[in-house]
Amino acid sequence: DVKVTQSSRYLVKRTGEKVFLECVQDMDHENMFWYRQDPGLGLRLIYFSYDVKMKEKGDIPEGYSVSREKKERFSLILESASTNQTSMYLCAWGLRETQYFGPGTRLLVL
Amino acid sequence: GESVGLHLPTLSVQEGDNSIINCAYSNSASDYFIWYKQESGKGPQFIIDIRSNMDKRQGQRVTVLLNKTVKHLSLQIAATQPGDSAVYFCAENMEDGGATNKLIFGTGTLLAVQP
């Protein structure tokens, strides 16, 4: 089974801090995704990537950027964290249409 | 069904009973669907999928039914167990003609299994 790891399960940051969320998959899969999950809103796509150094905006990219320097690692960056970015962040890898998720990082911005 | 506002619809069942969780999807052109299970504090877990050329697909203790006429998907869990307690949500594939397929997710139903 492919394993997806996220760097932290829980994270507390202050407004204005730069935040890095790391996601690593242990297979050679090309497609990777970052979502946030909020009560009542479901999963919303922030960014995705289908190859090294490639990135595409999802539905809510504002306030975020991403980095894909190596195929196995897809990083989500909050340039200047704000309280409305408090959320559960989920990384996923994709095989054709199917997506498989990591354990998630619950971020609290104070 | 899908949630409204901040409150998830909840299905409460007795241990051993069968559960049926429903999902209405939005895009009549969607051709692939997935059910996920998400336990508290964890990432979503793939359960079962189905393509639009099928009406029914069975897994271990789970069955997915697809009714394209009314754009409705259901997940049936046989002999529900306490470990089945979780949020279940569906996802539909929105083919955008690009290299990567996007999924559109429902907001989920909370399944509560009573011992």
Side-chain angles (χ1 to χ4, degrees):
Chain A
D1 288 351
V2 178
K3 189 174 180 183
V4 175
T5 56
Q6 294 185 230
S7 50
S8 304
R9 293 299 304 276
Y10 301 95
L11 209 51
V12 180
K13 296 291 181 181
R14 295 206 173 273
T15 301
E17 281 192 76
K18 190 169 186 176
V19 182
F20 293 87
L21 302 181
E22 301 284 335
C23 177
V24 179
Q25 45 128 340
D26 65 356
M27 295 290 283
D28 198 33
H29 292 288
E30 294 173 339
N31 300 340
M32 296 186 77
F33 306 81
W34 272 107
Y35 293 89
R36 61 178 286 176
Q37 184 179 34
D38 301 287
L41 298 177
L43 276 78
R44 292 181 291 166
L45 182 63
I46 305 172
Y47 267 97
F48 61 98
S49 168
Y50 49 89
D51 206 347
V52 176
K53 296 193 186 293
M54 300 297 287
K55 60 183 179 184
E56 294 283 344
K57 291 181 179 179
D59 299 319
I60 51 162
E62 296 77 20
Y64 303 95
S65 63
V66 289
S67 173
R68 185 108 183 254
E69 295 298 316
K70 293 183 178 180
K71 185 174 276 190
E72 68 269 20
R73 188 180 298 268
F74 190 35
S75 303
L76 181 69
I77 303 157
L78 287 66
E79 295 291 341
S80 178
S82 62
T83 55
N84 63 13
Q85 291 179 310
T86 290
S87 188
M88 173 74 145
Y89 288 88
L90 291 161
C91 173
W93 66 273
L95 180 62
R96 295 185 290 276
E97 306 101 324
T98 311
Q99 294 179 26
Y100 301 89
F101 289 87
T105 296
R106 190 167 292 279
L107 173 66
L108 173 62
V109 183
L110 300 174
Chain B
E2 301 304 314
S3 71
V4 175
L6 298 179
H7 302 288
L8 285 176
T10 299
L11 175 65
S12 185
V13 299
Q14 290 294 127
E15 182 178 356
D17 288 351
N18 297 334
S19 304
I20 301 176
I21 301 169
N22 297 304
C23 176
Y25 63 91
S26 57
N27 189 345
S28 57
S30 294
D31 60 359
Y32 176 71
F33 305 87
I34 305 173
W35 276 103
Y36 289 94
K37 171 187 180 183
Q38 187 173 22
E39 297 175 86
S40 182
K42 297 184 178 180
Q45 176 188 356
F46 173 95
I47 303 174
I48 192 168
D49 58 1
I50 188 168
R51 296 199 175 276
S52 59
N53 60 354
M54 301 172 71
D55 297 321
K56 178 180 179 179
R57 189 164 189 224
Q58 288 185 290
Q60 188 176 15
R61 278 201 310 119
V62 295
T63 301
V64 55
L65 298 177
L66 175 63
N67 185 331
K68 296 180 287 295
T69 302
V70 294
K71 293 189 289 185
H72 184 268
L73 197 65
S74 68
L75 178 71
Q76 300 179 359
I77 304 174
T80 312
Q81 302 168 0
D84 295 326
S85 293
V87 174
Y88 291 81
F89 54 90
C90 63
E92 61 185 292
N93 175 63
M94 187 182 76
E95 174 56 58
D96 64 356
T100 302
N101 291 302
K102 294 181 184 177
L103 291 177
I104 304 298
F105 295 87
T107 47
T109 296
L110 174 63
L111 176 65
V113 182
Q114 310 300 323

